[in-house]
Amino acid sequence: MQGQHVLVTGAAGGIGLVIARLFLEQGANVSLHYNRTVDTLTPLLNEYPDRCNALSVNATNEQAVEQGIEQSCTRFGLINVCIINHAAFVGEDIPIWDMSLEQWQRTMDVNLTSYFLYAREWCRQLKRLTSTIDINNLNASLILIGSTAGKFGEANHLDYATSKGALQSGFIKSLKNEIVNIIPHARCNIVAPGWTRTPMAETSISQGKHFKALRTMPLRKIATTEDVAQACLFFASNKTAGHLTGNVLMVHGGMEGRVLWQENLQ
Ligand SMILES: NC(=O)c1ccc[n+]([C@@H]2O[C@H](COP(=O)([O-])OP(=O)(O)OC[C@H]3O[C@@H](n4cnc5c(N)ncnc54)[C@H](OP(=O)(O)O)[C@@H]3O)[C@@H](O)[C@H]2O)c1
């Protein structure tokens, strides 16, 4: 990753922060895009003042995303690896009959439309910045963060599961066939975690909501943020994943859609 420019959205969140640190440790220049929270980024900014740059970007705002990508390119040049990681999840269980249109639309805005905005802008900067360079050996990798909810569904979180499912099917399968028209070896893949210990999941984990999912997993544990970050590192480089595109890598301890074991977890 030495000399590569990596952009991470939701960089101040549980998984984003660990992804950002891993890529900095690997020698990359990292653009840290965050929404409102910035405090958690301070240690990275202090440790790597020359190789990371934090920008506040509301991912649902078209103009903000355009400007954010442009400013990041101005600082570190072409974005080789773009990791779209931010998301919103309503922790409370809400069945469809109680779900407001506002919640549905907000989830689609944050988890789906903003992914379109970032992916589009990443493609546009590739088109813009590669007009004068040799593109044949260029490492260009787009990584989206999905979820087991997008594969198995998640009752009472229909909005979230639908947004992730859309990314993991039509979105990634179409995009992989388009980006090669800009860069011949450009790739896009999804890292889809199951339960991972982060602020987003903490309340649900403390209430034991993950127990049901654990019973469908032979590995009988939830993921660490490091597990997810390492999967992103794998997809980022054309040395490790040069022939992989359009894939959804499930980071879920072997989860199945059926119960595998029953012992009491309490
Ligand atoms: N944790 C899990 O168990 C789990 C499981 C499966 C998949 N995932 C996926 O993993 C990814 C990271 O989740 P996480 O667990 O690290 O969650 P997190 O700690 O809540 O981080 C999510 C980040 O997204 C940012 N964000 C929310 N709305 C935004 C917007 N409009 N514009 C820009 N950024 C925005 C948040 O920033 P603010 O707080 O400042 O708004 C936050 O930093 C997500 O895609 C999530 O769906 C997580």
Side-chain angles (χ1 to χ4, degrees), residues 206-240:
S206 67
Q207 293 166 352
K209 286 186 181 170
H210 62 302
F211 288 165
K212 207 162 59 179
L214 278 186
R215 292 198 174 94
T216 71
M217 296 160 58
L219 293 190
R220 301 188 181 201
K221 62 187 175 71
I222 60 176
T224 63
T225 46
E226 186 71 19
D227 290 327
V228 183
Q230 289 289 351
C232 292
L233 182 60
F234 168 68
F235 273 141
S237 165
N238 59 10
K239 284 191 185 153
T240 49

Side-chain angles (χ1 to χ4, degrees), residues 188-204:
C188 59
N189 292 287
I190 296 190
V191 171
W195 285 94
T196 310
R197 196 171 283 280
T198 66
M200 181 186 271
E202 204 51 60
T203 310
S204 302

Side-chain angles (χ1 to χ4, degrees), residues 62-80:
E62 184 177 21
Q63 221 183 359
V65 173
E66 285 168 8
Q67 286 171 359
I69 293 262
E70 195 180 316
Q71 284 176 34
S72 294
C73 291
T74 304
R75 176 71 196 268
F76 292 128
L78 178 143
I79 300 161
N80 301 93

Side-chain angles (χ1 to χ4, degrees), residues 96-136:
I96 188 170
W97 49 88
D98 287 334
M99 191 177 289
S100 66
L101 179 60
E102 193 192 0
Q103 176 182 332
W104 170 268
Q105 284 175 334
R106 187 182 135 63
T107 303
M108 292 306 145
D109 277 352
V110 178
N111 294 6
L112 191 54
T113 306
S114 70
Y115 275 55
F116 155 74
L117 292 175
Y118 261 103
R120 186 182 69 176
E121 235 26 61
W122 181 70
C123 288
R124 286 180 174 173
Q125 60 92 39
L126 284 183
K127 284 185 78 140
R128 222 176 27 244
L129 300 180
T130 51
S131 55
T132 54
I133 60 168
D134 173 21
I135 54 174
N136 286 309

Side-chain angles (χ1 to χ4, degrees), residues 10-16 34-37 57-60 85-88 106 110 115 145-148 160 164 193-201:
I15 291 175
Y34 65 95
N35 191 28
R36 298 159 303 184
T37 324
V57 179
N58 176 357
T60 62
N85 156 76
H86 67 271
R106 187 182 135 63
V110 178
Y115 275 55
I145 304 298
S147 167
T148 45
Y160 180 81
K164 294 295 186 180
W195 285 94
T196 310
R197 196 171 283 280
T198 66
M200 181 186 271

Side-chain angles (χ1 to χ4, degrees), residues 9 17 36 51 61 80 82 90 115 121 139 144 152 155 158 167 175 197 208 214 220 224 226 239 245 258 260 264:
T9 75
L17 196 60
R36 298 159 303 184
R51 287 201 288 112
N61 181 314
N80 301 93
C82 181
V90 176
Y115 275 55
E121 235 26 61
N139 184 42
L144 314 178
F152 298 109
L158 189 100
L167 294 175
L175 193 60
R197 196 171 283 280
L214 278 186
R220 301 188 181 201
T224 63
E226 186 71 19
K239 284 191 185 153
T245 192
R258 62 184 176 132
L260 295 175
N264 192 353

